[in-house]
């Protein structure tokens, strides 16, 4: 069964790319939903226009870029991805009878968080998240915003109460990061940890001080 990956309009498209690459590397099939707002963010952050009619080529171009925007950094096979238009409310993920393992929203904007918390289902991304919650499947929400106001905090608490896992996109530095990609991969790895998907995106804490510095020197 696939994982649904929803990409909302928050800044942080490299996080989504890292999660998608790791899922595909792990042999996990993906159902991808890219919101309309996220296309604007993707265009701004990468220069890529994500088009329904050419989504495979655009996705391949996107996932091949590193967090620094350099093309051709990664070589990714996207045959494990099934794409659904955000406006297609009759798509498979809109129904609880459609078999999936769960859903990852990365990055999640505050508007997306509010929509899911309130059950608005204004597009396929929000509808799929609502279905994930009602079916008691795993929902991981990687919220990307700062600072957070009280309204958004209440929405995040509501999602936690409903069974979702909230993962702030907050990179750590103990893993020995030497590049922006390392920081992005740490966040992506924590998203996958919350989903229970194995990966090799970052060095895990081993209880030894200085491990990050030792990693940077090797």
């Amino acid at each position: 069964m696939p994982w649904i990956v929803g990409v909302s309009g928050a800044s942080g498209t490299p996080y989504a790319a890292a999660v998608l690459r790791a899922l595909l590397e792990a042999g996990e099939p993906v159902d991808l939903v890219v919101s309309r707002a996220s296309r604007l963010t993707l265009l701004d952050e990468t220069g890529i226009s994500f088009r329904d009619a050419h989504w495979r080529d655009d996705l391949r171009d996107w996932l091949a870029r590193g967090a620094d925007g350099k093309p051709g950094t990664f070589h990714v096979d996207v045959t494990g991805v099934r794409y659904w238009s955000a406006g297609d409310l009759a798509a498979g993920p809109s129904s609880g009878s459609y078999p999936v393992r769960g859903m990852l929203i990365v990055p999640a904007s505050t508007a997306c968080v509010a929509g899911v918390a309130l059950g608005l289902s204004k597009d396929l991304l929000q509808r799929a998240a609502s279905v994930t919650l009602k079916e008691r499947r795993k929902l991981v929400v990687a919220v990307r915003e700062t600072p957070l106001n009280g309204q958004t905090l209440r929405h995040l608490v509501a999602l936690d109460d409903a069974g979702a896992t909230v993962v702030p996109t907050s990179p750590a530095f103990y893993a020995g990061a030497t590049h922006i990609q390392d920081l992005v991969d740490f966040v992506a790895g924590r998203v996958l940890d919350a989903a229970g998907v194995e990966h090799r995106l970052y060095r895990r804490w081993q209880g030894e001080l200085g491990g990050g510095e030792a990693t940077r020197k090797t």
Side-chain angles (χ1 to χ4, degrees):
M1 293 190 294
W3 287 97
I4 303 171
V5 176
V7 186
S8 81
S11 176
T13 55
Y15 294 129
V19 166
L20 287 165
R21 284 192 299 265
L23 285 171
L24 294 173
E25 182 180 349
E28 300 282 353
V30 171
D31 277 23
L32 177 64
V33 182
V34 179
S35 76
R36 290 187 174 91
S38 69
R39 296 176 190 231
L40 299 177
T41 308
L42 185 62
L43 179 63
D44 184 55
E45 294 184 346
T46 68
I48 296 172
S49 296
F50 197 91
R51 303 157 295 175
D52 284 352
H54 305 280
W55 69 266
R56 285 187 180 84
D57 292 335
D58 297 337
L59 178 63
R60 191 178 295 110
D61 187 11
W62 174 25
L63 298 189
R65 293 175 184 252
D68 58 2
K70 183 180 178 181
T73 301
F74 300 97
H75 299 282
V76 183
D77 182 359
V78 299
T79 55
V81 179
R82 184 174 186 179
Y83 172 72
W84 301 94
S85 173
D88 185 4
L89 292 178
S94 68
S95 172
S97 66
Y98 184 77
V100 298
R101 292 185 61 185
M103 182 174 184
L104 316 176
I105 305 178
V106 53
S109 66
T110 55
C112 175
V113 166
V116 177
L118 297 173
L120 298 183
S121 297
K122 72 166 190 173
D123 61 8
L124 180 59
L125 194 158
Q126 292 185 12
R127 171 60 184 169
S130 295
V131 168
T132 301
L133 288 175
K134 80 179 182 68
E135 297 294 327
R136 302 295 190 265
R137 295 166 181 159
K138 190 174 291 293
L139 175 64
V140 181
V141 180
V143 61
R144 214 306 305 169
E145 185 60 272
T146 189
L148 295 171
N149 62 28
Q151 187 175 43
T152 297
L153 290 169
R154 285 188 287 272
H155 289 151
L156 292 172
V157 170
L159 289 178
D160 180 78
D161 289 342
T165 301
V166 176
V167 179
T169 53
S170 302
F173 297 86
Y174 62 77
T178 59
H179 190 275
I180 186 175
Q181 188 67 55
D182 299 326
L183 299 177
V184 168
D185 284 348
F186 178 87
V187 171
R190 295 300 287 151
V191 171
L192 294 173
D193 287 345
V197 176
E198 293 186 4
H199 64 85
R200 297 175 295 174
L201 288 175
Y202 68 89
R203 186 188 72 87
R204 297 184 180 277
W205 177 250
Q206 300 294 327
E208 299 179 2
L209 295 177
E213 179 63 19
T215 299
R216 281 189 288 270
K217 290 180 178 178
T218 58

